Structure formats: structure tokens, C-alpha cells
Amino acid sequence: MVFLLVGEITDQRTNAFKYGIEQIVMNVFLTAVIIVSLIGYFFISKKNYKFWLALASYSVVFILLLGHVVFDGHLEFDREATFQRDSFLIIVIIGICGMVSGKLNSLIISCVLLLMLINYSFFNVQPFIQLNFVFYLLLIIGYTVLIYFIIEMTEKFMKNLNLLNGTVLKQKNDIQEKNKSILDSIHYAKRIQSAILPSNKIVKSFLPDSFIYYEPKDIVAGDFYWMEHKEDTILFAAADCTGHGVPGALVSVLCYNSLNRAVNEYCLTDPGAILNKTKTLVLAEFAKSDEVVYDGMDIALCALNGNILKYAGAYNPLWLIKKNAQTITEYAPNREPIGNYVYCKDYVTHEMLLEEGDTIYIFTDGFTDQFGGIFNKKYKSVQLRKFLLSIQDHTMDEQRHLIKKEFNHWKGEEEQIDDICFIGMRHSNGSLTNKGGSNLNE
């Protein structure tokens, strides 16, 4: 009995000694692997041997795990101790491989997790010993190839995505530079357009009791106001050229110059005759194009000489409010623009006798066509009539402020859809204050 007990104790010590030897060998081997891997990384990584170094590290992990499985098949299986040892080993090797290759690092993590899941099963069995080793080897290889393929495709996708992002960023920068260049050119064009429009000082010198409400939709406008002084007659107009922004501004320059030529070169002062000549000049310019140009101008043109006011229009009317009147008298324009049109007739000149306190308005359609209000509808001329009648007790400067306020209130958060040019004048015996003065362009 004693001999049996001593023998059993001796066997236990022998097994413990073998297990201790095993742990020492494994730790020494682990240390050697770490040192060799680090030395190899620093010496050969710059020579593009990262793949082979990573592959060697991966092989070491696989051999260690395989050796552990074989040893555990013959030794007592200490689940907790071996799990701690292998976990430490796996973390170190994964760190080394991570420095070498991100792809292989991901591969090793995936495969080792699979190995650990199989080897350290919560079931009280050891699947590696009970099942065919070749099956697990093929499973690991197949899983590795799958993960490697996924990583390769992901990296290729990310590379193409980065390339695309770089292209988009370059295009964005190019667009920003071109946009800045275009905006600079448009702002310079605005300076030129503003320079040809009569200044407020000139307008007030000839029409002291008047206002001009001018609100372009964009930086430059297709609408413009025009004024000329010919002998004892003051000519002024509110015009709306086709479009707005840069295209409208280009047409407006052509029409503006044509008006000047009709008055200064051909010495015309009758509004109907001026519009007829202006149309001829504009069509002559359009005829130089190889294509048919349908652009043109709507306009309301007035000629004031003392108490006599003459008016002619192309689509844009003139409204007259007599002093203390409760209604508006409208003088209808010709229903044809300054430009190409199927039916061409001479523009009709309307003549009226103004009295002290009478008020006239000419305007483009940008105000009445503006969408807004509670139901987001057009302002319409009916509503404008009522509004103008309601502000007749105010001075013309106050009216300008009220008209602008009414427009902004109606528009609200909606986008302005067109340019606005609105001219109002209240007649007095001293309206023409610069009699005998020089031409506005002189």
C-alpha cells in the first residue's frame, strides 16, 4: 500500500516536472520568436520582404497552436493555464504582424479566433483530438483565403474611392476658382451697367418730385431705367429686356444704346417715333446674327414738356392718378415688343395734360408677377392699383419706401423671380427744373 502511494506521488511529481519543463520550453521559444521577429522586421522590412516576414510569423502561430494540441492530447489538459499562455502568445504575434502587414494581421486575428473557438470549447471535450486534423486544416485554409479575398476587394475599393475623392476634390477646387472668376467678371459688369444708368442726382435735377425703385434679381439686370434731356423735353423710360442676369444685361445694353441713338442721332422726341426707330436699330443689330434672335424689350416711354406728357409703350402701360382721384387711368401700350414680332405696327403716342398734383407711374412686370402672400400667388395689377391709391397722401420718397416694403412683405421667404424697375412722378409746375440744360450724355 505504501509502495503504491509512493509510486502515485512519484508519477504526479514526474507529470508536474514534465509540465513545468513544457512551460519553460514554450516561454523560451516564445521569447526567441519575439526577438527574431523584431530583428527580422527592422532588417528586412525596408527591402519589401514584409509579406514573407508576416507569413513566417503566421506559420509560427500555427505551429505553436498545432504543437499545443498535440501535447494536450498526451498530457493532462489544463484549460485555464493553456488559455492564458496561448492568449499572451497570440496577442504578441498579432502585434508583430500588425506592424508588418495590416492584411495579414486581420487574417491572423480571424483564424486564431476560429482556432480558439474550436480548441477552447465550452463543451467538456477536445474537438481537435476527436475530429480529423485535415478537416480543420482545410477549414482554416479556406477561411483564410476567404478573408484574404474580402480584404483584397475592400482595399481595392478603398483605393478607388480615395482616387475618386481626390478627383472630386480637384474638380471642386477648379469649379470654385472658375466661379470666383465668373463672379468677379459679373461684378465688374455691374459697375459698367451702373455707370450708364442716370444717377439719382441727375434724376432729381430734372424730376425733383419723383422716385425710382430699382431691384435687380441677380447681380446684373435685364431691366433698366433711361433718361434724356432734349431741348425743353425730358424723356424717361422703364424698360424690361428679355431674361435677367447676364443675358438680360447684354440685351439691355443694346436697347439702351438704340434709345440713345434714336434721340441723339435722329433727333426724335415723340415717344412713338422713338420706339419705332429703336425697334429698327435693334432689329438691324439682330440681323447680323446667323440665327433668328427673338430677344427684345418691353418699355414704357414718356416725354414731358411743361404740362404736356406724351407716352408710348411696348407691353408696359402708364398709370395716371389725378389729384384727389379714387381711380387709376391706364394708358394702354402696343401689344408688341421692341424686337422680332409677327405683326409690326407703328407705336401709338398718347398725349395728356397734367395738372398740379397729378401722379404717374411706369413700371416693368417684375413687381406684379412676384409670387408670395398666404397662398403663394402672383401679386397682380389689381392689387397694385389698390395699394398705389392707398399711399397717395405720402410724398414720392415715402412712396418708394412703402412700395419696397410692400414688395418684400409680399415676397416673404420666396425667391425674387424677376428684375424690378418702378418709376413714379408727381407733377408740379417746377417739374422741369433744368430748362435749357445740356444733354445728359454731354
Side-chain angles (χ1 to χ4, degrees):
M1 184 69 179
V2 173
F3 289 104
L4 291 175
L5 180 62
V6 171
E8 183 177 351
I9 294 174
T10 303
D11 291 339
Q12 290 179 355
R13 288 181 178 178
T14 302
N15 291 336
F17 177 76
K18 290 181 179 180
Y19 183 78
I21 293 297
E22 177 193 354
Q23 295 296 320
I24 292 174
V25 171
M26 293 296 292
N27 290 332
V28 171
F29 188 57
L30 171 62
T31 304
V33 168
I34 295 173
I35 294 174
V36 171
S37 299
L38 290 174
I39 294 175
Y41 172 73
F42 288 112
F43 275 93
I44 67 176
S45 62
K46 294 184 179 180
K47 295 183 179 180
N48 297 323
Y49 294 127
K50 291 183 180 181
F51 174 80
W52 299 108
L53 179 60
L55 184 61
S57 300
Y58 181 87
S59 301
V60 169
V61 175
F62 183 81
I63 292 172
L64 287 177
L65 291 175
L66 180 62
H68 166 67
V69 170
V70 174
F71 276 116
D72 282 343
H74 300 282
L75 301 176
E76 183 180 352
F77 187 73
D78 188 346
R79 189 181 304 276
E80 181 178 357
T82 53
F83 181 81
Q84 293 175 354
R85 180 192 65 195
D86 289 348
S87 297
F88 175 73
L89 172 65
I90 290 166
I91 292 172
V92 172
I93 299 300
I94 286 175
I96 296 173
C97 294
M99 293 186 296
V100 178
S101 172
K103 288 186 291 185
L104 284 175
N105 185 35
S106 301
L107 286 173
I108 291 171
I109 291 175
S110 302
C111 294
V112 165
L113 288 177
L114 179 62
L115 280 169
M116 291 182 67
L117 179 63
I118 296 173
N119 198 33
Y120 300 106
S121 171
F122 289 101
F123 298 102
N124 192 22
V125 294
Q126 297 183 39
F128 248 100
I129 298 173
Q130 295 180 3
L131 299 180
N132 193 320
F133 173 74
V134 176
F135 169 77
Y136 285 103
L137 182 61
L138 293 176
L139 179 64
I140 293 171
I141 293 174
Y143 186 72
T144 302
V145 171
L146 175 63
I147 297 299
Y148 186 84
F149 176 77
I150 294 174
I151 294 174
E152 279 289 320
M153 294 299 295
T154 303
E155 285 194 347
K156 188 176 296 185
F157 172 77
M158 293 303 298
K159 182 179 179 181
N160 294 334
L161 182 61
N162 292 334
L163 183 62
L164 180 62
N165 288 338
T167 303
V168 171
L169 182 61
K170 182 179 182 301
Q171 291 176 344
K172 176 185 175 183
N173 293 334
D174 292 342
I175 291 173
Q176 287 178 340
E177 291 180 4
K178 292 178 180 179
N179 185 56
K180 183 178 181 302
S181 176
I182 292 172
L183 286 177
D184 290 343
S185 299
I186 294 175
H187 280 290
Y188 188 77
K190 176 179 175 61
R191 292 175 55 190
I192 297 174
Q193 188 178 49
S194 299
I196 67 175
L197 297 177
S199 66
N200 186 63
K201 180 179 178 181
I202 291 177
V203 173
K204 289 294 186 181
S205 68
F206 290 98
L207 301 174
D209 202 7
S210 66
F211 72 82
I212 296 178
Y213 174 41
Y214 185 59
E215 191 74 44
K217 177 186 183 295
D218 301 310
I219 300 174
V220 291
D223 287 15
F224 66 90
Y225 54 94
W226 174 86
M227 180 174 284
E228 272 294 338
H229 177 216
K230 199 71 172 177
E231 298 176 351
D232 291 337
T233 302
I234 286 292
L235 299 163
F236 58 96
D240 178 8
C241 294
T242 306
H244 47 75
V246 175
L250 292 174
V251 179
S252 72
V253 172
L254 171 61
C255 294
Y256 192 96
N257 290 333
S258 297
L259 283 169
N260 285 336
R261 289 183 61 192
V263 173
N264 297 320
E265 290 184 21
Y266 296 93
C267 300
L268 301 174
T269 57
D270 179 78
I274 293 173
L275 293 187
N276 288 329
K277 178 54 68 174
T278 299
K279 183 172 185 177
T280 300
L281 296 173
V282 169
L283 291 177
E285 293 297 323
F286 287 165
K288 297 177 182 178
S289 173
D290 293 333
E291 299 178 356
V292 179
V293 179
Y294 292 101
D295 296 311
M297 172 177 65
D298 300 339
I299 187 171
L301 174 62
C302 296
L304 179 64
N305 189 340
N307 295 331
I308 304 299
L309 178 70
K310 295 180 179 181
Y311 154 79
Y315 279 116
N316 290 349
L318 178 142
W319 286 359
L320 169 64
I321 302 178
K322 303 294 288 185
K323 185 177 182 180
N324 299 323
Q326 298 301 316
T327 58
I328 293 179
T329 302
E330 178 178 303
Y331 290 86
N334 283 51
R335 305 295 296 177
E336 60 178 281
I338 305 296
N340 280 307
Y341 193 67
V342 178
Y343 305 104
C344 295
K345 296 181 180 180
D346 289 341
Y347 291 93
V348 178
T349 299
H350 302 269
E351 184 175 321
M352 64 208 77
L353 179 64
L354 297 181
E355 298 177 352
E356 185 82 16
D358 291 349
T359 306
I360 65 168
Y361 299 96
I362 55 176
F363 47 87
T364 59
D365 60 2
F367 195 107
T368 55
D369 286 348
Q370 178 61 46
F371 286 92
I374 299 176
F375 301 105
N376 193 30
K377 293 184 177 181
K378 288 185 178 182
Y379 192 86
K380 297 292 185 66
S381 59
V382 174
Q383 188 172 348
L384 182 59
R385 286 171 180 265
K386 294 178 180 179
F387 178 74
L388 291 179
L389 287 171
S390 70
I391 62 174
Q392 288 306 297
D393 293 337
H394 295 273
T395 65
M396 299 309 290
D397 288 335
E398 290 173 346
Q399 286 190 27
R400 180 190 182 279
H401 173 74
L402 292 172
I403 290 173
K404 181 178 181 180
K405 183 178 179 181
E406 173 72 4
F407 176 78
N408 290 329
H409 176 72
W410 177 260
K411 179 171 69 72
E413 299 298 325
E414 296 296 323
E415 181 184 1
Q416 183 177 338
I417 66 169
D418 201 357
D419 304 321
I420 296 174
C421 184
F422 206 114
I423 300 177
M425 186 207 74
R426 179 164 289 163
H427 180 67
S428 63
N429 292 330
S431 290
L432 191 56
T433 61
N434 199 9
K435 292 182 179 181
S438 61
N439 186 286
L440 292 178
N441 291 332
E442 292 179 356

